[in-house]
């Protein structure tokens, strides 16, 4: 490729708070994808973007250039509309597992291209791989066939979708630029727009267990992504949701699959049910399906039927027992009272240290590792009662996992409890 621009000039422009032209952006993404721009140069540009931001036009151009670096999928041949959900990641966030079959049971196809966990947030593919035989890698043809036959697919994104993002994502992870809102927004939306879904519902987490710790940051990210989706002709809405306390009662791969199956069986924790239904209703409304209540499909078994078919279509055995950890350790309440606080980030880090997550992309995760909660904020506890059970195959991991949990919960009087709000904080349209 011809060197149309000087990389250092582009870096200097953004360093000095200037705006990059559409041509500069298109060139630098293409050149980076093809190895013409070096990693250290892109790292410098990413840091300049983190510090100085980007205009809406720049973010739109950057996202478009990332999409143009690879292929685009097309679901127009399917006999039903498509809708997808993306979560910015949290602790115990297993919502994709019950949500995809639930929405499919209501008549809308769900092509859910998912990822693996890194750091304290779990990855959907890691969770599903706790099911014996289940495989994440599907060809585009297999994916389309499964969407037509079953209505839902959860699988790994192919290497052809936004390859520029794959390179840039790895670089951001090791250069302290993960938190740059323009880069988060363009990373998520380039893959989702290239995926070709007609409707996209974004679950933007806010709180200690999320990447966005404040409502202001979460709202800025949500508004940026909704604008990108709408600019690209995708019906896009975002929900700001609470991630100050873990979602549900489990954090860890096999443990979260078990809890998801409980939800599909008509039970499970109320916060998981509430968020699953809120997202399902947005996905169905966006696809024009307004005469179906997804709550009915959870209760009457239709969503469970789709789950079983979806797992079997990807060579998994929905009846196989899930792996259990070789070792467990209990943490008990130190006093009588009410659990007034339980920090999501600490639980996520502890589950990660037990083996549920990975520090580097190549690390293996333990399918059975994680944390089971026996109480959530607002629950009355008695001294000596189990608060949580830690699960791992490697007992040497308990020490550092317990360290992560120090000071992460409080037991006090009911009057000290902050009144619990709705799990859905706000909508961004």
């Amino acid at each position: 490729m011809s060197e149309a621009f000087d990389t250092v000039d582009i870096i200097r422009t953004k360093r000095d708070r200037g705006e990059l032209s559409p041509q500069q952006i298109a060139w630098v993404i293409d050149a980076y994808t093809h190895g013409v721009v070096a990693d250290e140069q892109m790292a410098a540009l990413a840091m300049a973007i983190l510090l100085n931001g980007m205009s809406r036009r720049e973010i739109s151009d950057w996202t478009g250039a990332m999409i143009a670096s690879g292929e685009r999928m097309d679901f127009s041949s399917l006999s039903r509309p498509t809708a997808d959900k993306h979560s910015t990641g949290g602790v115990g966030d297993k919502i994709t597992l019950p949500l995809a079959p639930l929405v499919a049971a209501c008549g809308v196809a769900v092509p859910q291209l998912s990822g693996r966990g890194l750091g304290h947030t779990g990855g959907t593919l890691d969770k599903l791989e706790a099911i014996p035989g289940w495989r994440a890698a599907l060809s585009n043809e297999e994916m389309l066939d499964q969407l037509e036959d079953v209505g839902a697919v959860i699988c790994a994104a192919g290497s052809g979708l936004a390859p520029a993002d794959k390179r840039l994502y790895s670089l951001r992870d090791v250069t302290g630029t993960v938190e740059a809102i323009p880069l988060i927004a363009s990373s998520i939306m380039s893959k989702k727009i290239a995926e070709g879904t007609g409707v996209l519902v974004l679950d933007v987490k806010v709180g200690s267990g999320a990447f966005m710790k404040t409502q202001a940051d979460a709202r800025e990210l949500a508004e940026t992504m909704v604008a990108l989706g709408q600019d690209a002709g995708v019906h896009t809405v975002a929900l700001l949701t609470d991630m100050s306390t873990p979602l549900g009662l489990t954090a860890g791969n096999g443990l979260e699959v078990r809890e998801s199956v409980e939800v599909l069986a008509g039970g499970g924790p109320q916060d998981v049910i509430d968020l699953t239904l809120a997202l399902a209703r947005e996905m169905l409304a966006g696809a024009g399906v307004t005469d179906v209540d997804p709550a009915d499909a959870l209760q009457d078994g239709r969503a469970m039927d789709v789950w079983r078919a979806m797992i079997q279509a990807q060579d998994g055995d929905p009846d196989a027992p899930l792996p259990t950890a070789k070792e467990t350790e209990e943490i008990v309440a130190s006093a009588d009272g009410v659990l007034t606080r339980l920090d999501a980030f600490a639980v996520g880090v502890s589950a990660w240290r037990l083996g549920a997550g990975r520090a580097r992309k190549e690390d293996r995760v333990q399918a059975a590792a994680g944390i089971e909660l026996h109480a959530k904020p607002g629950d009355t506890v008695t001294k000596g009662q189990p608060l949580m059970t830690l699960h791992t195959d490697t007992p040497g991991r308990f020490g550092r996992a317990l360290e992560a949990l120090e000071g992460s919960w409080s037991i006090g009087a009911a009057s000290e409890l902050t009144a619990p709000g709705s799990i859905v904080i706000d909508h961004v349209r």
Side-chain angles (χ1 to χ4, degrees), residues 399-412:
R400 291 196 68 234
L402 289 165
E403 246 172 60
L405 290 166
E406 279 173 19
S408 67
W409 73 89
S410 307
I411 296 171

Side-chain angles (χ1 to χ4, degrees), residues 73-274:
M73 296 192 70
D74 180 8
F75 297 127
S76 59
S77 63
L78 295 175
S79 60
R80 51 181 131 182
T82 55
D84 191 9
K85 183 269 308 186
H86 180 84
S87 165
T88 55
V91 179
D93 182 9
K94 72 276 297 169
I95 300 297
T96 294
L97 278 62
L99 179 66
L102 173 60
V103 172
C106 297
V108 174
V110 184
Q112 186 76 52
L113 300 181
S114 295
R116 301 191 182 281
L118 200 62
H120 75 282
T121 62
T124 300
L125 301 181
D126 298 321
K127 301 180 209 291
L128 285 166
E129 282 175 342
I131 299 171
W134 186 87
R135 65 187 172 101
L138 299 182
S139 68
N140 286 357
E141 189 179 1
E142 285 176 312
M143 188 179 173
L144 276 168
D145 287 348
Q146 187 171 325
L147 282 170
E148 188 59 56
D149 297 343
V150 178
V153 64
I154 302 172
C155 64
S159 57
L161 286 184
D165 176 64
K166 199 167 189 179
R167 285 202 70 190
L168 186 53
Y169 188 90
S170 304
L171 186 75
R172 284 164 54 215
D173 197 53
V174 295
T175 56
T177 52
V178 166
E179 294 82 358
I181 285 176
L183 299 180
I184 295 173
S186 59
S187 172
I188 291 168
M189 295 304 291
S190 62
K191 292 191 290 264
K192 289 298 175 186
I193 294 165
E195 182 197 295
T197 185
V199 175
L200 178 60
V201 178
L202 300 161
D203 180 2
V204 181
K205 304 286 188 198
V206 57
S208 78
F211 287 113
M212 299 289 128
K213 308 297 183 194
T214 68
Q215 279 197 40
D217 283 348
R219 189 175 302 281
E220 183 188 342
L221 176 60
E223 288 172 349
T224 302
M225 292 196 293
V226 168
L228 285 170
Q230 289 170 344
D231 287 351
V234 179
H235 176 95
T236 309
V237 297
L239 272 58
L240 301 189
T241 69
D242 182 25
M243 189 31 78
S244 51
T245 295
L247 252 173
L249 295 169
T250 57
N253 303 305
L255 293 170
E256 292 189 46
V257 174
R258 187 192 75 198
E259 188 168 273
S260 300
V261 172
E262 286 168 8
V263 171
L264 287 161
Q270 197 60 46
D271 57 347
V272 177
I273 297 165
D274 290 348

Side-chain angles (χ1 to χ4, degrees), residues 337-340 378 411-419:
V338 172
L339 188 65
T340 56
I411 296 171
S415 58
E416 297 168 34
L417 185 70
T418 309

Side-chain angles (χ1 to χ4, degrees), residues 41-65:
Q41 292 177 308
M42 189 53 102
L45 182 56
M47 186 60 78
I49 290 167
L50 172 89
L51 296 173
N52 297 324
M54 280 181 142
S55 67
R56 175 169 170 180
R57 194 271 308 156
E58 282 180 294
I59 299 171
S60 189
D61 287 342
W62 187 276
T63 306

